[in-house]
Amino acid sequence: SVLFSLNLLLLVFNLIPLPPLDGSGAVALLVDEDRARRYQQFLRNKPAFSLIGLLAAWYLIGDLFWPVLMAALRVVYLGAL
């Protein structure tokens, strides 16, 4: 159960759409090609934005992780919770 929780935590943390997390790449998939290119260029030119993204993700992870964990446990244990 510890490995399950840690993997789920890593999944949720990386899907937060803030740079430098993996979820920030998904933002480019949702917009047209020109905006995606400008977005990627903006991220390359602003390294401080990555630090801000990590700090924001650090504060958001608690609010995002627990509902995902409870939903995953309900699926795994089929209504036992």
Side-chain angles (χ1 to χ4, degrees), residues 24-77:
S24 68
V27 173
L29 295 173
L30 302 174
V31 296
D32 60 77
E33 188 176 338
D34 185 48
R35 280 195 182 146
R37 192 174 297 119
R38 284 188 284 154
Y39 175 72
Q40 292 297 327
Q41 187 67 28
F42 173 77
L43 293 181
R44 273 188 236 115
N45 291 334
K46 309 284 187 208
F49 196 62
S50 294
L51 180 61
I52 293 168
L54 277 177
L55 290 174
W58 183 264
Y59 286 107
L60 288 173
I61 192 65
D63 295 333
L64 296 173
F65 176 66
W66 292 110
V68 173
L69 177 63
M70 290 297 118
L73 289 176
R74 282 190 197 99
V75 169
V76 170
Y77 293 113

Side-chain angles (χ1 to χ4, degrees), residues 9-18 21-24 26 61 64:
L9 179 65
L10 185 61
L11 171 106
V12 171
F13 189 74
N14 275 327
L15 286 179
I16 296 174
L18 296 171
L21 304 174
D22 295 336
S24 68
I61 192 65
L64 296 173

